Amino acid sequence: MKTLNALLALGLFGVTGSALAQDANSFDVLGIKIGMTREQAEKKLKGEFPALQLVETSSYRESPGVQKTLARLKFYSERMTVFLHFTPLTGKVFSIYRIEHIGDRYKPETWTPFETLQKAFDKKYGAPTFISPYGPVHFVVFDKNGTLTKAKPCNESQIPRGFSKTDERCGVELAYKWRQGGSGQQYKGFADGLEMTLTDHSMVNDEMKNVDMKADEINKQKREQSVGNKAPKL
């Protein structure tokens, strides 16, 4: 089973003291942090993981308050897929979703024990504050003020929800789960892959408020123009 080499490849070592203290601002996925611009994120990925190639670019649908701006980037390599989600107005990363093969199918000798992965995640991100039975999925949850909490996460999945409003209490959430390499009893507790996501819900909620304000102003201008156009000539 892989241990040290797997964890080095996963970017789970080289932990800073702030990460050990579970500071939401110190969290990253593959070196990508919440709030990065497209240029910063791409530079980091290309520098650290040259095998990852940009394969898909998605844009927001134009609507009142939102222009046709960057919504999501998808990077792909043989062993890893990474999705970066961006806010429509400020163009900053608000969610990172990572899917990775950390072993080879039908080759148990390349798989990693769940326990080894958990220790590595605990060392980088701190102990989980909530564990969902579905998966199971492990979470480290912060409220909107950046305070660690044992409250139920706002998105009880390791798959990001995209740009959508959540409860006002919500802040940064890290979610992760392992994929078991085989279905047999002898493979129980060994992983050949993982999924994880890091999302800042408070960032999304703040951006949504600005989008709504902008949309209200645009709709107000349209109504005023419509009334003006219908006014009788004197």
Side-chain angles (χ1 to χ4, degrees):
M1 306 298 177
K2 294 194 300 180
T3 53
L4 178 60
N5 290 338
L7 300 179
L8 288 171
L10 291 172
L12 293 177
F13 282 156
V15 185
T16 64
S18 58
L20 289 172
Q22 291 185 285
D23 176 6
N25 293 323
S26 73
F27 279 17
D28 72 86
V29 176
L30 302 174
I32 308 300
K33 290 189 174 185
I34 297 296
M36 279 188 170
T37 63
R38 173 178 180 171
E39 292 73 20
Q40 291 171 326
E42 283 196 277
K43 182 179 179 180
K44 190 68 178 178
L45 281 182
K46 289 177 180 178
E48 300 288 338
F49 304 92
L52 282 171
Q53 299 295 315
L54 178 61
V55 295
E56 183 182 298
T57 302
S58 304
S59 299
Y60 286 100
R61 188 181 305 172
E62 192 167 357
S63 62
V66 177
Q67 295 182 338
K68 194 175 181 180
T69 54
L70 176 65
R72 190 184 73 179
L73 296 177
K74 178 182 178 181
F75 297 86
Y76 176 82
S77 70
E78 185 178 355
R79 304 197 68 82
M80 183 160 55
T81 304
V82 178
F83 295 89
L84 302 180
H85 297 258
F86 296 83
T87 51
L89 300 182
T90 56
K92 301 292 182 65
V93 174
F94 72 83
S95 185
I96 307 116
Y97 178 41
R98 166 190 180 185
I99 309 166
E100 184 166 359
H101 300 287
I102 55 176
D104 298 318
R105 198 174 185 187
Y106 308 122
K107 293 184 178 180
E109 68 274 11
T110 69
W111 301 345
T112 304
F114 287 4
E115 182 181 357
T116 302
L117 288 170
Q118 188 63 58
K119 287 180 179 178
F121 269 75
D122 287 353
K123 187 173 182 180
K124 178 164 184 175
Y125 301 110
T129 59
F130 185 91
I131 300 177
S132 166
Y134 308 108
V137 184
H138 296 70
F139 296 87
V140 180
V141 181
F142 297 86
D143 65 20
K144 66 178 181 179
N145 299 313
T147 302
L148 202 64
T149 174
K150 292 187 177 182
K152 184 176 179 179
C154 289
N155 178 24
E156 203 172 342
S157 169
Q158 79 285 359
I159 302 173
R161 295 170 55 177
F163 188 70
S164 58
K165 190 173 182 178
T166 54
D167 193 300
E168 285 295 327
R169 68 176 173 84
C170 304
V172 172
E173 293 183 359
L174 174 78
Y176 56 90
K177 78 168 188 176
W178 332 125
R179 184 179 63 236
Q180 186 165 303
S183 58
Q185 185 65 27
Q186 69 271 33
Y187 304 131
K188 187 176 181 180
F190 289 94
D192 71 348
L194 65 82
E195 289 182 57
M196 64 181 301
T197 186
L198 178 64
T199 301
D200 189 342
H201 295 291
S202 60
M203 184 179 182
V204 172
N205 286 337
D206 289 344
E207 188 91 348
M208 286 287 288
K209 291 176 184 176
N210 289 332
V211 167
D212 290 343
M213 288 174 60
K214 198 170 183 181
D216 289 343
E217 183 61 30
I218 291 172
N219 289 329
K220 179 182 177 182
Q221 291 175 358
K222 287 182 178 180
R223 288 194 300 270
E224 291 174 347
Q225 290 174 356
S226 176
V227 170
N229 292 333
K230 294 178 181 179
K233 293 183 179 179
L234 301 176

